[in-house]
Amino acid sequence: MNPEEKAWDDLRAAASSRLRPGFARGVLRAARGPGAGAWVALRSSAAACLRPGFAARVVRAARAAAAGPSYASQLALSAVTAALCLAAVLLLHQRNQRLADERNLAEWRAIVAFAQEIDVHGR
């Protein structure tokens, strides 16, 4: 046996000596989960906690959710989206128009000032 195998064997022996009796059986039992009787008891206990008609309400709600949006809600969403887009276009157009007017007025003021200057010097 090489030194590495001996080290592993020593580690296994030291670890297994620290486990309580029945540890492996408990691990296997936990890995398998509860038995069939425990599941039956759990289901009956849970069913006793539910109000009558619970399953029908859940199925009805699931079908309503799966049906998707109605035609009226889609139409309303489209109308709101169109209104928001139109408002955005109008605001941007108004802003661009105002900026163009300000730029044109500034250019006309410069032309008028130049024309008045020429008129004063020309007399």
Side-chain angles (χ1 to χ4, degrees), residues 5-6 17 19 24 26 29 35 46 50 69 78 88 96 108 111-112 114:
E5 288 177 12
K6 180 165 179 4
S17 70
L19 297 175
R29 187 174 43 248
L50 297 176
S78 298
N96 288 341
W108 277 109
I111 291 171
V112 168
F114 182 69

Side-chain angles (χ1 to χ4, degrees), residues 13-119:
S16 65
S17 70
R18 293 188 177 155
L19 297 175
R20 64 181 186 270
F23 175 78
R25 191 174 331 113
V27 169
L28 289 175
R29 187 174 43 248
R32 285 190 203 113
W39 283 111
V40 169
L42 185 61
R43 282 190 190 104
S44 65
S45 173
C49 294
L50 297 176
R51 293 186 317 224
F54 173 76
R57 287 192 307 274
V58 169
V59 169
R60 204 171 26 250
R63 285 184 181 149
S70 67
Y71 181 71
S73 67
Q74 288 180 350
L75 186 62
L77 180 63
S78 298
V80 169
T81 303
L84 288 174
C85 289
L86 180 62
V89 166
L90 290 175
L91 288 174
L92 286 174
H93 176 70
Q94 182 182 16
R95 178 182 168 271
N96 288 341
Q97 193 67 37
R98 182 178 46 82
L99 292 174
D101 287 346
E102 289 174 3
R103 186 176 55 248
N104 289 339
L105 284 173
E107 290 174 3
W108 277 109
R109 284 185 188 118
I111 291 171
V112 168
F114 182 69
Q116 287 174 348
E117 186 180 321
I118 292 175
D119 192 32

